[in-house]
Amino acid sequence: MNLDPRRLLVLLAVARTGGVLAAADELRITPSAVSQQLSKLEHETGQALVLRTPKGSVLTPAGLAMAEAGEEIERALTVARARMESGATIEGVVRIGGFTSFVRTVVIPRLPEWRVQYPQLQVRIVEDDYPALMRLLRQRQLDAVVVELDSTTAEQRTLAAGMIEEPLLDEPWKLVVPTGALLTTENVDLGRLPLPWLGVEQSAANAAVIGRLRHATGAHIETVHQYQETLTALALVAAGEGVAIVPTLALAGVVQDGVEVLDVPGLGTRRIVLRRFAGRRPASTPLDTVARLLRESAAGFDTRSAS
């Protein structure tokens, strides 16, 4: 199979933006050029790679495989760009929004290292929930935001025109129960637990997991209380008030007596992504540098050590 690797980057742009028009804006080419590149790539592979739907473009299994190859090429280019940047001055202020567990465990510990590496680069952190972060991004008060999604339901979200999404990290959801609440941790029936589920703020990815389980099990899943922070959820669980779905990252460095953290099949994963607008800009900007640093930090984080 003789492929033009540049076409894989076009396919990757379609995968991230969800459509030909948005991909064309990101790549700074015409929609017709995007369609032509996709057609040529499908001819080269002999496979249908993209399905057009009323809601946008969806990649076929073959398309996903090719998009992953595009990600590998992009990573190689990122490494090359980083090597070139090492001899150049990157300066400016980049405003990054994010949610608590990612900011606390992945971003903040790396800030001292980034200051040494790029002394003229200032990274400003804004911590908030999903609706507020997306509003600030649309208003251009933030340059990029890190948001959490339930991986199973993530495809239901539509990105605004010109917005791109870069994957940072996938991590497993955990079931947190009071110590001794389950007689066995094998074959756990998520629809019939001995305690109610703790409610969580509706914009949080945890809420999507509960809704997904409610639909999948057909059970009436009752929720009690409502929390925002994982520490609150753990305290409620320790008090015997209910059970909760918690992402692995949020448990990093957290010690709470009276709870058990369980790996349960069917919970799925939390997807963490970086969102920003792909405007017309030079090949490398302070925002590009920070995006690369975030990808590297997320890639180096071992979620197994967080549980």
Side-chain angles (χ1 to χ4, degrees), residues 2-299:
N2 187 18
L3 299 178
D4 185 337
R6 293 172 296 182
R7 295 188 182 119
L8 296 178
L9 298 180
V10 174
L11 179 67
L12 182 59
V14 173
R16 287 176 172 169
T17 62
V20 170
L21 293 178
D25 185 64
E26 177 187 350
L27 297 170
R28 301 194 292 278
I29 60 178
T30 65
S32 175
V34 171
S35 297
Q36 290 175 12
Q37 292 300 310
L38 292 178
S39 296
K40 290 178 179 178
L41 185 59
E42 288 182 327
H43 177 73
E44 289 172 347
T45 61
Q47 298 281 340
L49 304 177
V50 178
L51 296 177
R52 276 75 171 181
T53 73
K55 294 184 178 180
S57 299
V58 179
L59 268 61
T60 65
L64 290 172
M66 289 292 100
E68 289 178 2
E71 287 183 334
E72 292 295 332
I73 294 173
E74 184 182 60
R75 276 192 284 270
L77 292 174
T78 297
V79 171
R81 184 181 297 119
R83 290 173 178 170
M84 290 187 293
E85 286 177 0
S86 63
T89 299
I90 301 297
E91 58 183 334
V93 177
V94 177
R95 303 158 299 175
I96 300 293
F99 56 91
T100 302
S101 60
F102 189 86
V103 168
R104 173 175 60 86
T105 59
V106 178
V107 179
I108 292 177
R110 300 295 297 275
L111 290 178
E113 175 186 333
W114 295 348
R115 281 198 301 271
V116 172
Q117 189 174 3
Y118 298 101
Q120 303 302 316
L121 178 64
Q122 300 179 51
V123 180
R124 298 289 181 258
I125 303 298
V126 175
E127 179 187 35
D128 218 321
D129 58 18
Y130 179 87
L133 292 174
M134 293 304 298
R135 181 177 64 253
L136 292 171
L137 179 62
R138 288 191 294 267
Q139 294 172 348
R140 303 304 201 272
Q141 295 183 45
L142 292 174
D143 298 302
V145 297
V146 177
V147 297
E148 59 167 358
L149 308 168
D150 174 42
S151 61
T152 304
T153 56
E155 300 304 326
Q156 299 176 9
R157 298 181 184 268
T158 302
L159 297 180
M163 186 180 295
I164 61 173
E165 183 175 280
E166 305 173 49
L168 295 177
L169 181 67
D170 280 1
E171 56 164 357
W173 292 108
K174 303 287 188 177
L175 178 65
V176 183
V177 303
T179 300
L182 300 183
L183 296 178
T184 176
T185 58
E186 296 181 1
N187 301 320
V188 175
D189 187 345
L190 294 171
R192 294 174 176 80
L193 295 174
L195 289 169
W197 292 84
L198 298 180
V200 62
E201 195 274 321
Q202 286 302 303
S203 67
N206 316 46
V209 182
I210 295 176
R212 170 164 55 83
L213 294 177
R214 184 183 290 116
H215 177 76
T217 62
H220 174 69
I221 296 181
E222 176 191 2
T223 59
V224 297
H225 305 297
Q226 182 170 310
Y227 70 90
Q228 271 191 313
E229 297 295 331
T230 298
L231 290 178
T232 303
L234 295 177
L236 286 168
V237 171
E241 289 293 301
V243 300
I245 296 291
V246 177
T248 305
L249 204 62
L251 297 171
V254 174
V255 177
Q256 175 67 61
D257 295 331
V259 303
E260 291 184 66
V261 180
L262 307 176
D263 289 302
V264 178
L267 289 184
T269 59
R270 177 173 75 161
R271 177 172 300 165
I272 300 174
V273 300
L274 179 71
R275 289 182 177 176
R276 55 173 168 154
F277 284 98
R280 297 180 179 274
R281 61 183 191 271
S284 180
T285 68
L287 178 55
D288 292 322
T289 298
V290 172
R292 173 178 59 80
L293 293 173
L294 290 172
R295 288 194 300 268
E296 292 174 352
S297 297

